Amino acid sequence: KQLRVAVTGKKRLAELPPEQRSRIERQTAGLGFRLQGLMQAQKWLPAMPGVRGRFSSSLCHRMSVGNPRVFVKNGFRESPDTAVHILLDSSGSMTDSSLMLANAVCYAVGKALQGIPGVNLGITAFPGANAAKRGATVVPVLRHGEKLTARFPEIAYGMTPMAESLWWVMQQLLFAKERRKMLFVLTDGQPTDMTATKKALKMAHKIGLEVYGLGILDDSINNILPDASRVIYQLEELPAMLFELLHDVLTRKNGSCL
């Protein structure tokens, strides 16, 4: 079966009202603090002279002038060197309340992550308005490197081309310079093509992407990402739930407690 990748389309985005933004920020206070430690990526450090580490015979001459920096130590340093992309389902199955919650989650996570130096955020919604003519489409809400706004999809409609959208996002993440790459899928239901979606997710894992799912008022996400997903029903649940999801998955992957 031929691989199909979504193309960029258009969709009407609307600014979240100031009072809604303030409410979202209050309800998810502390989210950035919770996430910061889980956004770390390992960065290799070259060998540097110091007073601790492995003795270096090539630095012996320093001792003759009283310089104690004759040891070298290299290894890994933890730093937030992470590209994060949120894939937002705004298809026709989303009710008004589902879309409102999904937009709020996007804004809350975006606000939290953009406050962490070294994290590069992108947000993409699907499908676009002109999907009937062009096939599967996506709408860039926030491109990597841009500053977060509060503009999100205003209306939900169309099919659920999750597989094609995943391939499009994977292309974006492959070009990201960050060492670690994370993808969050926000959806309220099943993709149009489950087989193609699972094939796309298999490739995402193969190329080293960490993929997490957030079910919006619906547990269908468990059929797509059974080992890396949670369902959210109220925005207030987000800080604890997201921390728990990342912590549990990373603990399983590393084989020990973080």
Side-chain angles (χ1 to χ4, degrees):
K1 191 174 180 179
Q2 188 177 6
L3 172 66
R4 292 178 298 174
V5 181
V7 297
T8 54
K10 295 182 179 180
K11 193 165 203 163
R12 195 166 66 195
L13 304 179
E15 192 88 15
L16 298 178
E19 62 274 12
Q20 186 179 357
R21 297 202 301 268
S22 298
R23 185 168 64 250
I24 292 170
E25 291 169 19
R26 286 197 307 272
Q27 291 173 332
T28 57
L31 179 58
F33 178 77
R34 283 176 174 265
L35 293 181
Q36 185 157 6
L38 297 174
M39 289 289 125
Q40 306 298 319
Q42 288 190 328
K43 186 174 183 178
W44 176 252
L45 293 176
M48 296 291 289
V51 295
R52 293 185 180 87
R54 187 179 71 255
F55 178 75
S56 174
S57 58
S58 64
L59 299 175
C60 282
H61 63 280
R62 293 182 175 213
M63 298 176 68
S64 63
V65 293
N67 188 339
R69 301 175 70 82
V70 294
F71 299 88
V72 294
K73 181 168 64 174
N74 54 13
F76 290 101
R77 181 183 67 193
E78 297 292 325
S79 65
D81 183 31
T82 305
V84 180
H85 205 104
I86 302 173
L87 183 58
L88 170 62
D89 179 358
S90 58
S91 61
S93 63
M94 296 281 270
T95 63
D96 289 345
S97 56
S98 296
L99 185 61
M100 187 180 299
L101 178 57
N103 287 342
V105 168
C106 272
Y107 178 72
V109 174
K111 193 80 174 173
L113 293 182
Q114 285 218 326
I116 303 174
V119 174
N120 183 9
L121 177 67
I123 303 173
T124 299
F126 70 95
N130 48 358
K133 293 181 180 179
R134 305 182 64 193
T137 56
V138 294
V139 180
V141 176
L142 178 73
R143 293 186 183 274
H144 287 283
E146 293 180 347
K147 187 176 180 180
L148 179 71
T149 70
R151 298 178 71 246
F152 294 97
E154 187 176 29
I155 304 172
Y157 50 74
M159 303 293 284
T160 313
M162 189 179 294
E164 296 90 337
S165 303
L166 283 167
W167 286 113
W168 189 89
V169 170
M170 277 190 267
Q171 290 181 343
Q172 311 308 305
L173 285 172
L174 281 175
F175 287 105
K177 66 182 186 302
E178 287 74 19
R179 181 181 297 272
R180 185 181 181 192
K181 297 174 172 64
M182 305 173 73
L183 170 59
F184 290 90
V185 181
L186 272 62
T187 182
D188 76 323
Q190 301 280 6
T192 302
D193 188 334
M194 178 65 83
T195 301
T197 297
K198 289 188 174 182
K199 186 178 293 186
L201 289 170
K202 185 176 180 180
M203 179 55 70
H205 289 123
K206 189 173 182 179
I207 63 176
L209 303 187
E210 297 173 34
V211 188
Y212 303 90
L214 295 178
I216 305 296
L217 303 177
D218 186 281
D219 63 3
S220 296
I221 191 67
N222 295 329
N223 299 323
I224 304 170
L225 291 162
D227 299 321
S229 61
R230 293 289 189 277
V231 182
I232 183 168
Y233 296 96
Q234 298 180 65
L235 188 61
E236 293 90 337
E237 302 169 347
L238 182 63
M241 185 209 67
L242 200 52
F243 177 85
E244 178 190 89
L245 169 62
L246 292 171
H247 182 275
D248 287 356
V249 173
L250 294 176
T251 298
R252 287 200 302 271
K253 188 171 74 171
N254 295 335
S256 61
C257 292
L258 295 176

mmCIF file with all atom_site columns, all heavy atoms in Angstrom, residues 105-127:
data_model
loop_
_atom_site.group_PDB
_atom_site.id
_atom_site.type_symbol
_atom_site.label_atom_id
_atom_site.label_alt_id
_atom_site.label_comp_id
_atom_site.label_asym_id
_atom_site.label_entity_id
_atom_site.label_seq_id
_atom_site.pdbx_PDB_ins_code
_atom_site.Cartn_x
_atom_site.Cartn_y
_atom_site.Cartn_z
_atom_site.occupancy
_atom_site.B_iso_or_equiv
_atom_site.pdbx_formal_charge
_atom_site.auth_seq_id
_atom_site.auth_comp_id
_atom_site.auth_asym_id
_atom_site.auth_atom_id
_atom_site.pdbx_PDB_model_num
ATOM 1   N N   . VAL A 1 105 ? -5.465 22.324 26.523 1.00 0.00 ? 105 VAL A N   1
ATOM 2   C CA  . VAL A 1 105 ? -4.299 21.475 26.808 1.00 0.00 ? 105 VAL A CA  1
ATOM 3   C C   . VAL A 1 105 ? -3.101 21.937 25.984 1.00 0.00 ? 105 VAL A C   1
ATOM 4   O O   . VAL A 1 105 ? -1.982 22.055 26.490 1.00 0.00 ? 105 VAL A O   1
ATOM 5   C CB  . VAL A 1 105 ? -4.630 19.993 26.519 1.00 0.00 ? 105 VAL A CB  1
ATOM 6   C CG1 . VAL A 1 105 ? -3.356 19.148 26.533 1.00 0.00 ? 105 VAL A CG1 1
ATOM 7   C CG2 . VAL A 1 105 ? -5.623 19.459 27.547 1.00 0.00 ? 105 VAL A CG2 1
ATOM 8   N N   . CYS A 1 106 ? -3.333 22.201 24.694 1.00 0.00 ? 106 CYS A N   1
ATOM 9   C CA  . CYS A 1 106 ? -2.257 22.686 23.816 1.00 0.00 ? 106 CYS A CA  1
ATOM 10  C C   . CYS A 1 106 ? -1.646 23.974 24.352 1.00 0.00 ? 106 CYS A C   1
ATOM 11  O O   . CYS A 1 106 ? -0.417 24.118 24.404 1.00 0.00 ? 106 CYS A O   1
ATOM 12  C CB  . CYS A 1 106 ? -2.798 22.933 22.404 1.00 0.00 ? 106 CYS A CB  1
ATOM 13  S SG  . CYS A 1 106 ? -2.752 21.496 21.343 1.00 0.00 ? 106 CYS A SG  1
ATOM 14  N N   . TYR A 1 107 ? -2.495 24.900 24.734 1.00 0.00 ? 107 TYR A N   1
ATOM 15  C CA  . TYR A 1 107 ? -2.003 26.185 25.220 1.00 0.00 ? 107 TYR A CA  1
ATOM 16  C C   . TYR A 1 107 ? -1.235 26.007 26.536 1.00 0.00 ? 107 TYR A C   1
ATOM 17  O O   . TYR A 1 107 ? -0.157 26.585 26.718 1.00 0.00 ? 107 TYR A O   1
ATOM 18  C CB  . TYR A 1 107 ? -3.160 27.156 25.416 1.00 0.00 ? 107 TYR A CB  1
ATOM 19  C CG  . TYR A 1 107 ? -2.732 28.504 25.955 1.00 0.00 ? 107 TYR A CG  1
ATOM 20  C CD1 . TYR A 1 107 ? -2.031 29.396 25.144 1.00 0.00 ? 107 TYR A CD1 1
ATOM 21  C CD2 . TYR A 1 107 ? -2.999 28.876 27.266 1.00 0.00 ? 107 TYR A CD2 1
ATOM 22  C CE1 . TYR A 1 107 ? -1.608 30.628 25.636 1.00 0.00 ? 107 TYR A CE1 1
ATOM 23  C CE2 . TYR A 1 107 ? -2.584 30.102 27.765 1.00 0.00 ? 107 TYR A CE2 1
ATOM 24  C CZ  . TYR A 1 107 ? -1.893 30.970 26.949 1.00 0.00 ? 107 TYR A CZ  1
ATOM 25  O OH  . TYR A 1 107 ? -1.467 32.187 27.440 1.00 0.00 ? 107 TYR A OH  1
ATOM 26  N N   . ALA A 1 108 ? -1.778 25.197 27.430 1.00 0.00 ? 108 ALA A N   1
ATOM 27  C CA  . ALA A 1 108 ? -1.133 24.986 28.730 1.00 0.00 ? 108 ALA A CA  1
ATOM 28  C C   . ALA A 1 108 ? 0.229  24.317 28.578 1.00 0.00 ? 108 ALA A C   1
ATOM 29  O O   . ALA A 1 108 ? 1.225  24.756 29.180 1.00 0.00 ? 108 ALA A O   1
ATOM 30  C CB  . ALA A 1 108 ? -2.032 24.144 29.633 1.00 0.00 ? 108 ALA A CB  1
ATOM 31  N N   . VAL A 1 109 ? 0.286  23.262 27.768 1.00 0.00 ? 109 VAL A N   1
ATOM 32  C CA  . VAL A 1 109 ? 1.560  22.564 27.560 1.00 0.00 ? 109 VAL A CA  1
ATOM 33  C C   . VAL A 1 109 ? 2.536  23.477 26.827 1.00 0.00 ? 109 VAL A C   1
ATOM 34  O O   . VAL A 1 109 ? 3.716  23.546 27.177 1.00 0.00 ? 109 VAL A O   1
ATOM 35  C CB  . VAL A 1 109 ? 1.339  21.258 26.766 1.00 0.00 ? 109 VAL A CB  1
ATOM 36  C CG1 . VAL A 1 109 ? 2.673  20.599 26.417 1.00 0.00 ? 109 VAL A CG1 1
ATOM 37  C CG2 . VAL A 1 109 ? 0.478  20.284 27.569 1.00 0.00 ? 109 VAL A CG2 1
ATOM 38  N N   . GLY A 1 110 ? 2.041  24.194 25.816 1.00 0.00 ? 110 GLY A N   1
ATOM 39  C CA  . GLY A 1 110 ? 2.902  25.114 25.080 1.00 0.00 ? 110 GLY A CA  1
ATOM 40  C C   . GLY A 1 110 ? 3.481  26.185 25.968 1.00 0.00 ? 110 GLY A C   1
ATOM 41  O O   . GLY A 1 110 ? 4.682  26.488 25.904 1.00 0.00 ? 110 GLY A O   1
ATOM 42  N N   . LYS A 1 111 ? 2.654  26.761 26.812 1.00 0.00 ? 111 LYS A N   1
ATOM 43  C CA  . LYS A 1 111 ? 3.098  27.817 27.729 1.00 0.00 ? 111 LYS A CA  1
ATOM 44  C C   . LYS A 1 111 ? 4.159  27.278 28.691 1.00 0.00 ? 111 LYS A C   1
ATOM 45  O O   . LYS A 1 111 ? 5.166  27.939 28.970 1.00 0.00 ? 111 LYS A O   1
ATOM 46  C CB  . LYS A 1 111 ? 1.891  28.336 28.514 1.00 0.00 ? 111 LYS A CB  1
ATOM 47  C CG  . LYS A 1 111 ? 2.125  29.622 29.278 1.00 0.00 ? 111 LYS A CG  1
ATOM 48  C CD  . LYS A 1 111 ? 2.037  30.820 28.370 1.00 0.00 ? 111 LYS A CD  1
ATOM 49  C CE  . LYS A 1 111 ? 2.116  32.114 29.178 1.00 0.00 ? 111 LYS A CE  1
ATOM 50  N NZ  . LYS A 1 111 ? 2.190  33.297 28.300 1.00 0.00 ? 111 LYS A NZ  1
ATOM 51  N N   . ALA A 1 112 ? 3.928  26.066 29.189 1.00 0.00 ? 112 ALA A N   1
ATOM 52  C CA  . ALA A 1 112 ? 4.864  25.463 30.132 1.00 0.00 ? 112 ALA A CA  1
ATOM 53  C C   . ALA A 1 112 ? 6.204  25.152 29.466 1.00 0.00 ? 112 ALA A C   1
ATOM 54  O O   . ALA A 1 112 ? 7.267  25.456 30.012 1.00 0.00 ? 112 ALA A O   1
ATOM 55  C CB  . ALA A 1 112 ? 4.267  24.193 30.729 1.00 0.00 ? 112 ALA A CB  1
ATOM 56  N N   . LEU A 1 113 ? 6.148  24.567 28.270 1.00 0.00 ? 113 LEU A N   1
ATOM 57  C CA  . LEU A 1 113 ? 7.378  24.140 27.606 1.00 0.00 ? 113 LEU A CA  1
ATOM 58  C C   . LEU A 1 113 ? 8.190  25.312 27.081 1.00 0.00 ? 113 LEU A C   1
ATOM 59  O O   . LEU A 1 113 ? 9.422  25.265 27.080 1.00 0.00 ? 113 LEU A O   1
ATOM 60  C CB  . LEU A 1 113 ? 7.049  23.172 26.464 1.00 0.00 ? 113 LEU A CB  1
ATOM 61  C CG  . LEU A 1 113 ? 6.478  21.816 26.880 1.00 0.00 ? 113 LEU A CG  1
ATOM 62  C CD1 . LEU A 1 113 ? 6.238  20.945 25.660 1.00 0.00 ? 113 LEU A CD1 1
ATOM 63  C CD2 . LEU A 1 113 ? 7.406  21.108 27.868 1.00 0.00 ? 113 LEU A CD2 1
ATOM 64  N N   . GLN A 1 114 ? 7.513  26.370 26.612 1.00 0.00 ? 114 GLN A N   1
ATOM 65  C CA  . GLN A 1 114 ? 8.271  27.499 26.094 1.00 0.00 ? 114 GLN A CA  1
ATOM 66  C C   . GLN A 1 114 ? 8.959  28.290 27.207 1.00 0.00 ? 114 GLN A C   1
ATOM 67  O O   . GLN A 1 114 ? 9.777  29.147 26.936 1.00 0.00 ? 114 GLN A O   1
ATOM 68  C CB  . GLN A 1 114 ? 7.374  28.413 25.251 1.00 0.00 ? 114 GLN A CB  1
ATOM 69  C CG  . GLN A 1 114 ? 7.058  27.813 23.888 1.00 0.00 ? 114 GLN A CG  1
ATOM 70  C CD  . GLN A 1 114 ? 7.033  28.838 22.770 1.00 0.00 ? 114 GLN A CD  1
ATOM 71  O OE1 . GLN A 1 114 ? 6.636  29.975 22.958 1.00 0.00 ? 114 GLN A OE1 1
ATOM 72  N NE2 . GLN A 1 114 ? 7.452  28.421 21.591 1.00 0.00 ? 114 GLN A NE2 1
ATOM 73  N N   . GLY A 1 115 ? 8.627  27.958 28.432 1.00 0.00 ? 115 GLY A N   1
ATOM 74  C CA  . GLY A 1 115 ? 9.327  28.569 29.558 1.00 0.00 ? 115 GLY A CA  1
ATOM 75  C C   . GLY A 1 115 ? 10.572 27.798 29.964 1.00 0.00 ? 115 GLY A C   1
ATOM 76  O O   . GLY A 1 115 ? 11.289 28.197 30.875 1.00 0.00 ? 115 GLY A O   1
ATOM 77  N N   . ILE A 1 116 ? 10.851 26.681 29.279 1.00 0.00 ? 116 ILE A N   1
ATOM 78  C CA  . ILE A 1 116 ? 12.017 25.852 29.597 1.00 0.00 ? 116 ILE A CA  1
ATOM 79  C C   . ILE A 1 116 ? 13.075 26.069 28.516 1.00 0.00 ? 116 ILE A C   1
ATOM 80  O O   . ILE A 1 116 ? 12.874 25.687 27.366 1.00 0.00 ? 116 ILE A O   1
ATOM 81  C CB  . ILE A 1 116 ? 11.635 24.355 29.663 1.00 0.00 ? 116 ILE A CB  1
ATOM 82  C CG1 . ILE A 1 116 ? 10.517 24.120 30.687 1.00 0.00 ? 116 ILE A CG1 1
ATOM 83  C CG2 . ILE A 1 116 ? 12.861 23.512 30.007 1.00 0.00 ? 116 ILE A CG2 1
ATOM 84  C CD1 . ILE A 1 116 ? 9.996  22.695 30.712 1.00 0.00 ? 116 ILE A CD1 1
ATOM 85  N N   . PRO A 1 117 ? 14.206 26.696 28.832 1.00 0.00 ? 117 PRO A N   1
ATOM 86  C CA  . PRO A 1 117 ? 15.257 26.912 27.824 1.00 0.00 ? 117 PRO A CA  1
ATOM 87  C C   . PRO A 1 117 ? 15.726 25.580 27.244 1.00 0.00 ? 117 PRO A C   1
ATOM 88  O O   . PRO A 1 117 ? 15.926 24.604 27.971 1.00 0.00 ? 117 PRO A O   1
ATOM 89  C CB  . PRO A 1 117 ? 16.379 27.591 28.616 1.00 0.00 ? 117 PRO A CB  1
ATOM 90  C CG  . PRO A 1 117 ? 15.694 28.177 29.814 1.00 0.00 ? 117 PRO A CG  1
ATOM 91  C CD  . PRO A 1 117 ? 14.576 27.235 30.144 1.00 0.00 ? 117 PRO A CD  1
ATOM 92  N N   . GLY A 1 118 ? 15.892 25.544 25.925 1.00 0.00 ? 118 GLY A N   1
ATOM 93  C CA  . GLY A 1 118 ? 16.376 24.329 25.282 1.00 0.00 ? 118 GLY A CA  1
ATOM 94  C C   . GLY A 1 118 ? 15.280 23.438 24.740 1.00 0.00 ? 118 GLY A C   1
ATOM 95  O O   . GLY A 1 118 ? 15.557 22.414 24.121 1.00 0.00 ? 118 GLY A O   1
ATOM 96  N N   . VAL A 1 119 ? 14.016 23.792 24.958 1.00 0.00 ? 119 VAL A N   1
ATOM 97  C CA  . VAL A 1 119 ? 12.895 23.022 24.415 1.00 0.00 ? 119 VAL A CA  1
ATOM 98  C C   . VAL A 1 119 ? 12.349 23.765 23.200 1.00 0.00 ? 119 VAL A C   1
ATOM 99  O O   . VAL A 1 119 ? 12.043 24.952 23.254 1.00 0.00 ? 119 VAL A O   1
ATOM 100 C CB  . VAL A 1 119 ? 11.776 22.832 25.467 1.00 0.00 ? 119 VAL A CB  1
ATOM 101 C CG1 . VAL A 1 119 ? 10.558 22.160 24.838 1.00 0.00 ? 119 VAL A CG1 1
ATOM 102 C CG2 . VAL A 1 119 ? 12.289 21.979 26.629 1.00 0.00 ? 119 VAL A CG2 1
ATOM 103 N N   . ASN A 1 120 ? 12.213 23.052 22.084 1.00 0.00 ? 120 ASN A N   1
ATOM 104 C CA  . ASN A 1 120 ? 11.762 23.608 20.812 1.00 0.00 ? 120 ASN A CA  1
ATOM 105 C C   . ASN A 1 120 ? 10.387 23.030 20.486 1.00 0.00 ? 120 ASN A C   1
ATOM 106 O O   . ASN A 1 120 ? 10.260 21.843 20.204 1.00 0.00 ? 120 ASN A O   1
ATOM 107 C CB  . ASN A 1 120 ? 12.784 23.274 19.717 1.00 0.00 ? 120 ASN A CB  1
ATOM 108 C CG  . ASN A 1 120 ? 12.420 23.873 18.376 1.00 0.00 ? 120 ASN A CG  1
ATOM 109 O OD1 . ASN A 1 120 ? 11.501 24.681 18.258 1.00 0.00 ? 120 ASN A OD1 1
ATOM 110 N ND2 . ASN A 1 120 ? 13.147 23.469 17.344 1.00 0.00 ? 120 ASN A ND2 1
ATOM 111 N N   . LEU A 1 121 ? 9.356  23.867 20.519 1.00 0.00 ? 121 LEU A N   1
ATOM 112 C CA  . LEU A 1 121 ? 7.973  23.395 20.428 1.00 0.00 ? 121 LEU A CA  1
ATOM 113 C C   . LEU A 1 121 ? 7.358  23.649 19.056 1.00 0.00 ? 121 LEU A C   1
ATOM 114 O O   . LEU A 1 121 ? 7.587  24.683 18.437 1.00 0.00 ? 121 LEU A O   1
ATOM 115 C CB  . LEU A 1 121 ? 7.127  24.102 21.500 1.00 0.00 ? 121 LEU A CB  1
ATOM 116 C CG  . LEU A 1 121 ? 5.631  23.786 21.512 1.00 0.00 ? 121 LEU A CG  1
ATOM 117 C CD1 . LEU A 1 121 ? 5.376  22.330 21.924 1.00 0.00 ? 121 LEU A CD1 1
ATOM 118 C CD2 . LEU A 1 121 ? 4.896  24.739 22.456 1.00 0.00 ? 121 LEU A CD2 1
ATOM 119 N N   . GLY A 1 122 ? 6.549  22.684 18.604 1.00 0.00 ? 122 GLY A N   1
ATOM 120 C CA  . GLY A 1 122 ? 5.738  22.841 17.404 1.00 0.00 ? 122 GLY A CA  1
ATOM 121 C C   . GLY A 1 122 ? 4.348  22.278 17.664 1.00 0.00 ? 122 GLY A C   1
ATOM 122 O O   . GLY A 1 122 ? 4.192  21.342 18.452 1.00 0.00 ? 122 GLY A O   1
ATOM 123 N N   . ILE A 1 123 ? 3.330  22.859 17.029 1.00 0.00 ? 123 ILE A N   1
ATOM 124 C CA  . ILE A 1 123 ? 1.945  22.382 17.175 1.00 0.00 ? 123 ILE A CA  1
ATOM 125 C C   . ILE A 1 123 ? 1.312  22.313 15.788 1.00 0.00 ? 123 ILE A C   1
ATOM 126 O O   . ILE A 1 123 ? 1.408  23.269 15.012 1.00 0.00 ? 123 ILE A O   1
ATOM 127 C CB  . ILE A 1 123 ? 1.104  23.299 18.077 1.00 0.00 ? 123 ILE A CB  1
ATOM 128 C CG1 . ILE A 1 123 ? 1.732  23.444 19.466 1.00 0.00 ? 123 ILE A CG1 1
ATOM 129 C CG2 . ILE A 1 123 ? -0.328 22.766 18.207 1.00 0.00 ? 123 ILE A CG2 1
ATOM 130 C CD1 . ILE A 1 123 ? 1.030  24.470 20.361 1.00 0.00 ? 123 ILE A CD1 1
ATOM 131 N N   . THR A 1 124 ? 0.667  21.192 15.484 1.00 0.00 ? 124 THR A N   1
ATOM 132 C CA  . THR A 1 124 ? 0.002  21.006 14.194 1.00 0.00 ? 124 THR A CA  1
ATOM 133 C C   . THR A 1 124 ? -1.388 20.424 14.419 1.00 0.00 ? 124 THR A C   1
ATOM 134 O O   . THR A 1 124 ? -1.559 19.494 15.211 1.00 0.00 ? 124 THR A O   1
ATOM 135 C CB  . THR A 1 124 ? 0.810  20.042 13.299 1.00 0.00 ? 124 THR A CB  1
ATOM 136 O OG1 . THR A 1 124 ? 2.104  20.600 13.059 1.00 0.00 ? 124 THR A OG1 1
ATOM 137 C CG2 . THR A 1 124 ? 0.116  19.812 11.965 1.00 0.00 ? 124 THR A CG2 1
ATOM 138 N N   . ALA A 1 125 ? -2.381 20.985 13.725 1.00 0.00 ? 125 ALA A N   1
ATOM 139 C CA  . ALA A 1 125 ? -3.752 20.467 13.790 1.00 0.00 ? 125 ALA A CA  1
ATOM 140 C C   . ALA A 1 125 ? -4.082 19.729 12.497 1.00 0.00 ? 125 ALA A C   1
ATOM 141 O O   . ALA A 1 125 ? -3.469 19.958 11.459 1.00 0.00 ? 125 ALA A O   1
ATOM 142 C CB  . ALA A 1 125 ? -4.745 21.613 14.007 1.00 0.00 ? 125 ALA A CB  1
ATOM 143 N N   . PHE A 1 126 ? -5.054 18.824 12.566 1.00 0.00 ? 126 PHE A N   1
ATOM 144 C CA  . PHE A 1 126 ? -5.505 18.136 11.358 1.00 0.00 ? 126 PHE A CA  1
ATOM 145 C C   . PHE A 1 126 ? -6.998 17.825 11.494 1.00 0.00 ? 126 PHE A C   1
ATOM 146 O O   . PHE A 1 126 ? -7.497 17.684 12.609 1.00 0.00 ? 126 PHE A O   1
ATOM 147 C CB  . PHE A 1 126 ? -4.685 16.858 11.120 1.00 0.00 ? 126 PHE A CB  1
ATOM 148 C CG  . PHE A 1 126 ? -4.958 15.746 12.126 1.00 0.00 ? 126 PHE A CG  1
ATOM 149 C CD1 . PHE A 1 126 ? -5.876 14.739 11.871 1.00 0.00 ? 126 PHE A CD1 1
ATOM 150 C CD2 . PHE A 1 126 ? -4.285 15.718 13.342 1.00 0.00 ? 126 PHE A CD2 1
ATOM 151 C CE1 . PHE A 1 126 ? -6.127 13.727 12.792 1.00 0.00 ? 126 PHE A CE1 1
ATOM 152 C CE2 . PHE A 1 126 ? -4.513 14.708 14.266 1.00 0.00 ? 126 PHE A CE2 1
ATOM 153 C CZ  . PHE A 1 126 ? -5.451 13.706 13.986 1.00 0.00 ? 126 PHE A CZ  1
ATOM 154 N N   . PRO A 1 127 ? -7.777 17.761 10.406 1.00 0.00 ? 127 PRO A N   1
ATOM 155 C CA  . PRO A 1 127 ? -7.393 18.055 9.024  1.00 0.00 ? 127 PRO A CA  1
ATOM 156 C C   . PRO A 1 127 ? -7.605 19.530 8.711  1.00 0.00 ? 127 PRO A C   1
ATOM 157 O O   . PRO A 1 127 ? -8.148 20.279 9.516  1.00 0.00 ? 127 PRO A O   1
ATOM 158 C CB  . PRO A 1 127 ? -8.376 17.204 8.228  1.00 0.00 ? 127 PRO A CB  1
ATOM 159 C CG  . PRO A 1 127 ? -9.628 17.270 9.057  1.00 0.00 ? 127 PRO A CG  1
ATOM 160 C CD  . PRO A 1 127 ? -9.162 17.267 10.500 1.00 0.00 ? 127 PRO A CD  1
#
